[in-house]
């Protein structure tokens, strides 16, 4: 059987290479899950701790597909109106005043405010839909989303039913603050993203911050891996590791000694007032283990 090409990608390995060219390192499992989601026309559900790169994966995928990323940020209390569409009532009233006795189509596109889900329905070939942190939404919204993902259509009372001309590319992320409904999981290709190994994180740092010295990248990657083993309120994510390496290199270039550069830049990697004194007390031993 001939190999199938999906969106110009011949397989997971080709997708992983394209993602790396977009400055995102994907392990073989993630690249396989993403490629299968594209090939099967199914949403991709990425779960993992905050900061492991779930949203960045969606951004990188949109980039290599040459599409605009449309992001629906979920939160407690989000409802269908915030996700689908709204009518621009002030503009409708203004148009009525201007029109006088002239008939006005108040339900024309000019008065329709697209929200992310409607945008994905109307422009499935132009966008990647990111439904970010679905676990923050309540179960009622999750049930609504499940219905949306089943047939990619919505009903607008004033306009009728709108259906996507083809299945849009959809990525969902979850920090697993609560369990998602089993029916939603079954709709998706699933992948759990864990923190990278220190070796891979050093590669990520050097890829995303090209000017950082390899010695610094490796030391930061080891130090961050150790920090994630501590009982911190907010363990550092990959973005914090990249920024810490950049900060350390900047301070060293300005004449700050090696250990002191790490100490002075702790505010780049530690973002909680309770974590900061805890880490400061243990920083010397942590750096002794992390130093190349």
């Amino acid at each position: 059987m001939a190999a199938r090409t999906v969106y110009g990608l011949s397989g997971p390995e080709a997708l992983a290479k394209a993602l790396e060219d977009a400055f995102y390192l994907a392990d073989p499992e993630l690249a396989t899950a993403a490629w299968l989601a594209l090939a099967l026309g199914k949403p991709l559900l990425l779960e993992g701790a905050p900061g492991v790169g779930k949203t960045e994966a969606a951004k990188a995928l949109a980039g290599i597909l040459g599409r605009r990323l449309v992001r629906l940020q979920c939160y407690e209390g989000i409802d269908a109106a915030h996700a689908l569409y709204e009518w621009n009532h002030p503009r409708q009233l203004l148009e009525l005043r201007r029109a006088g006795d002239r008939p006005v189509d108040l339900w024309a596109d000019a008065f329709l405010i697209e929200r992310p889900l409607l945008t994905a329905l109307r422009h499935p070939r132009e966008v990647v839909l990111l439904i970010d942190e679905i676990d923050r939404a309540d179960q009622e919204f999750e049930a609504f989303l499940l219905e949306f993902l089943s047939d990619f259509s919505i009903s607008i009372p004033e306009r009728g039913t709108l259906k996507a001309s083809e299945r849009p590319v959809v990525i969902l992320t979850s920090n697993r603050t609560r369990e998602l409904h089993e029916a939603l999981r079954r709709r998706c290709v699933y992948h759990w993203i864990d923190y990278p190994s220190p070796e891979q994180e050093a590669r990520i740092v050097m890829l995303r911050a090209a000017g950082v010295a390899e010695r610094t990248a490796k030391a930061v990657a080891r130090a961050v891996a150790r920090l994630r083993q501590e009982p911190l309120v907010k363990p550092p994510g990959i973005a914090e590791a990249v920024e810490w390496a950049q900060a350390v290199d900047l301070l060293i270039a300005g004449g700050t000694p090696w250990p002191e550069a790490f100490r002075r830049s702790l505010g780049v990697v530690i973002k909680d007032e309770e974590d900061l004194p805890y880490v400061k007390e243990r920083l010397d031993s942590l750096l002794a283990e992390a130093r190349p």
Side-chain angles (χ1 to χ4, degrees):
M1 181 183 296
R4 181 179 175 184
T5 299
V6 179
Y7 294 99
L9 302 164
S10 58
E13 295 79 10
L15 176 56
K17 178 61 170 63
L19 288 171
E20 184 172 353
D21 291 342
F23 305 104
Y24 187 90
L25 283 182
D27 59 32
E29 292 78 13
L30 172 56
T32 299
W35 189 84
L36 288 175
L38 294 174
L40 298 172
K42 295 172 71 70
L44 174 64
L45 172 58
L46 300 176
E47 276 197 321
V52 295
K54 303 182 295 295
T55 301
E56 289 300 317
K59 292 178 180 178
L61 188 60
I64 66 175
L65 295 179
R67 298 186 174 197
R68 177 165 56 98
L69 183 74
V70 174
R71 180 177 180 179
L72 174 62
Q73 177 61 55
C74 297
Y75 53 88
E76 185 178 354
I78 189 174
D79 58 19
H82 289 89
L84 281 172
Y85 70 92
E86 290 183 273
W87 290 108
N88 191 333
H89 297 301
R91 187 171 180 182
Q92 287 173 322
L93 291 173
L94 180 61
E95 188 63 24
L96 282 173
R97 293 193 187 105
R98 289 175 174 173
D101 296 332
R102 178 172 51 86
V104 177
D105 181 7
L106 294 177
W107 314 118
D109 278 356
F111 307 109
L112 184 63
I113 302 173
E114 287 186 358
R115 299 306 184 198
L117 299 188
L118 180 57
T119 299
L121 287 187
R122 300 182 79 182
H123 312 284
R125 298 181 182 181
E126 301 173 17
V127 305
V128 169
L129 174 62
L130 169 61
I131 303 172
D132 216 3
E133 299 184 314
I134 180 60
D135 54 317
R136 290 181 178 268
D138 55 32
Q139 295 185 352
E140 288 76 11
F141 182 77
E142 187 181 335
F144 155 75
L145 191 60
L146 179 63
E147 182 179 353
F148 170 81
L149 294 175
S150 65
D151 56 6
F152 290 103
S153 68
I154 62 168
S155 177
I156 300 179
E158 301 84 1
R159 297 280 294 269
T161 300
L162 297 180
K163 186 176 178 64
S165 58
E166 61 182 66
R167 297 180 72 85
V169 177
V170 181
I171 300 173
L172 300 92
T173 73
S174 168
N175 296 330
R176 206 163 189 173
T177 57
R178 68 170 177 85
E179 283 291 333
L180 301 180
H181 197 282
E182 190 63 29
L184 181 63
R185 292 179 178 276
R186 288 200 301 269
R187 287 275 188 274
C188 306
V189 175
Y190 176 83
H191 181 70
W192 172 268
I193 300 184
D194 208 346
Y195 288 116
S197 66
E199 294 74 22
Q200 185 173 11
E201 190 147 24
R203 288 184 61 206
I204 293 171
V205 169
M206 288 186 288
L207 184 67
R208 299 187 69 88
V212 169
E214 182 177 357
R215 175 173 178 256
T216 304
K218 290 182 176 179
V220 164
R222 293 192 190 102
V224 166
R226 276 289 317 280
L227 285 173
R228 291 175 185 145
Q229 297 172 6
E230 299 293 334
L232 301 182
V233 176
K234 294 182 180 179
I238 295 173
E240 285 77 25
V242 173
E243 292 168 358
W244 198 20
Q246 290 174 312
V248 169
D249 250 17
L250 284 172
L251 291 174
I252 291 175
T256 305
W258 171 269
E260 188 62 20
F262 282 82
R263 185 178 301 278
R264 289 187 183 181
S265 56
L266 266 183
V268 177
V269 70
I270 301 298
K271 305 295 179 69
D272 185 88
E273 62 178 347
E274 295 180 12
D275 291 341
L276 202 56
Y278 178 88
V279 172
K280 282 182 177 178
E281 292 177 2
R282 294 158 178 78
L283 189 60
D284 289 339
S285 62
L286 186 148
L287 291 179
E289 295 181 23
R291 188 165 183 166

